[in-house]
């Protein structure tokens, strides 16, 4: 989408999670992504004004979140055991990720304190890991197809004067070990950088960001995310030569 946007020619940082990025079907959130892009393109003047009014109201009044706390959403998330031949996707705890008004997503304080919630998410990752074991490996031609499509997009952005950098953010525990075994760097990460001729920052290559412990193996706590981001920006400047103009007041 950004590659095809003639107006975009800035700096682009792409977070790579190999099981998602190299998924033959585009990943489990592909439908949500396409729906969001469609809304962005098709939104009406009334909808643009509406979001501004909503933000003003939401800062003063308590609302229930439609996608999580409405009656239909809560009914959809009831964990009813699957009948034979019927499969229900695992339901993540609500406190695992909450969105703020400025589109930041982070674990709640409750999640960080409650090991039962953390273990539930770990169990979901383990469930997906067991599913992956029963599936055949991604064919070489599929991997190459994903890489080649990515190269086409990167080349379009570079041709307009833009810059693209890939980042592999931290994971730990069994999740981190499983990702190393299932997606060896020479076949995926290294090949991605080589095919696209792009710089990359892999967390395990930099001591300052190599040893985070993720509460549920796959995401940083809000506190560690701040530390990671500070080091990441420092690496961008010192190691990759990226420069950023300072915002007013910062």
């Amino acid at each position: 989408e950004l590659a095809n946007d003639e107006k975009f020619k800035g700096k682009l940082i792409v977070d790579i999670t190999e099981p998602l990025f190299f998924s033959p079907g585009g990943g489990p959130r592909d439908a949500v992504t396409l729906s969001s892009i469609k809304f962005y393109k098709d939104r009406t003047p009334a909808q643009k004004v509406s979001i501004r009014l909503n933000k003003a109201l939401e800062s003063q009044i308590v609302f229930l979140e439609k996608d999580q706390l409405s009656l239909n959403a809560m009914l959809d998330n009831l964990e009813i055991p699957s009948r034979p031949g019927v499969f229900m996707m695992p339901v993540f705890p609500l406190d695992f990720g909450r969105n703020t008004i400025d589109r930041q997503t982070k674990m709640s304080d409750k999640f960080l304190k409650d090991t039962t919630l953390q273990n539930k998410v770990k169990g979901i990752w383990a469930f997906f890991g067991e599913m992956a074991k029963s599936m055949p490996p991604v064919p070489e031609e599929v991997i190459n197809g994903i890489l080649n499509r990515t190269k086409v997009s990167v080349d379009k952005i570079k041709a307009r004067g833009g810059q693209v950098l890939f980042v592999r953010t931290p994971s730990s525990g069994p999740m981190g070990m499983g990702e190393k075994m299932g997606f060896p760097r020479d076949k995926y990460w290294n090949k991605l950088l080589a095919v696209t001729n792009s710089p990359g920052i892999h967390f395990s290559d930099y001591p300052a960001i190599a040893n985070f412990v993720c509460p549920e193996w796959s995401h940083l706590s809000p506190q560690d995310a701040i530390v990671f981001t500070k080091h990441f920006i420092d690496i961008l400047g010192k190691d990759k030569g990226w420069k950023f103009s300072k915002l007013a007041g910062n």
Side-chain angles (χ1 to χ4, degrees):
E1 184 64 24
L2 288 174
N4 293 329
D5 184 351
E6 293 294 334
K7 295 180 181 179
F8 180 78
K9 50 186 176 182
K11 295 181 175 72
L12 179 63
I13 298 172
V14 184
D15 185 5
I16 298 296
T17 301
E18 292 88 349
L20 299 178
F21 189 83
F22 291 97
S23 172
R29 292 190 60 81
D30 194 48
V32 177
T33 301
L34 293 176
S35 174
S36 299
I37 292 173
K38 184 178 186 303
F39 176 81
Y40 173 76
K41 289 182 174 181
D42 298 343
R43 57 185 175 162
T44 65
Q47 288 171 323
K48 293 179 181 180
V49 172
S50 178
I51 188 62
R52 294 182 178 274
L53 294 175
N54 285 346
K55 284 187 175 182
L57 288 172
E58 287 174 12
S59 67
Q60 304 296 325
I61 303 172
V62 174
F63 291 88
L64 291 179
E65 187 178 348
K66 175 184 175 183
D67 293 336
Q68 298 286 351
L69 297 174
S70 66
L71 179 59
N72 285 340
M74 296 181 74
L75 288 173
D76 287 340
N77 287 335
L78 284 177
E79 297 188 59
I80 302 173
S82 297
R83 303 187 304 277
V86 178
F87 172 74
M88 178 179 177
M89 288 291 290
V91 178
F92 286 92
L94 183 61
D95 287 290
F96 175 39
R98 307 296 295 144
N99 294 326
T100 64
I101 194 69
D102 56 355
R103 299 196 304 172
Q104 296 292 307
T105 302
K106 61 182 181 179
M107 300 169 184
S108 71
D109 292 339
K110 178 181 178 181
F111 184 85
L112 294 170
K113 295 175 182 177
D114 194 333
T115 55
T116 300
L117 292 177
Q118 295 172 24
N119 289 335
K120 182 175 182 179
V121 176
K122 290 177 181 178
I124 293 175
W125 299 143
F127 170 78
F128 286 133
E130 288 300 316
M131 284 185 61
K133 290 179 183 179
S134 64
M135 300 173 65
V138 180
E140 194 73 23
E141 59 269 22
V142 173
I143 296 174
N144 290 335
I146 293 171
L147 291 172
N148 290 332
R149 288 194 297 274
T150 304
K151 173 178 168 52
V152 170
S153 293
V154 170
D155 287 348
K156 287 182 179 179
I157 293 172
K158 288 182 178 179
R160 296 194 294 267
Q163 294 176 269
V164 179
L165 177 140
F166 295 97
V167 57
R168 187 23 166 115
T169 46
S171 57
S172 63
M175 173 71 83
M177 290 187 290
E179 289 169 339
K180 286 181 182 179
M181 293 174 60
F183 297 87
R185 284 184 61 167
D186 60 338
K187 186 176 180 180
Y188 293 91
W189 173 258
N190 294 349
K191 199 170 182 180
L192 171 66
L193 301 188
V195 169
T196 62
N197 190 28
S198 300
I201 295 175
H202 194 294
F203 76 94
S204 63
D205 293 337
Y206 298 88
I209 56 175
N211 299 303
F212 287 106
V213 177
C214 302
E216 39 59 80
W217 302 337
S218 189
H219 296 80
L220 294 174
S221 69
Q223 294 81 2
D224 282 347
I226 293 172
V227 176
F228 170 86
T229 302
K230 289 180 178 179
H231 285 299
F232 178 69
I233 292 172
D234 189 54
I235 294 168
L236 280 175
K238 293 181 179 178
D239 190 63
K240 303 303 179 182
W242 278 34
K243 305 298 181 184
F244 298 93
S245 58
K246 291 187 177 181
L247 299 176
N250 291 340

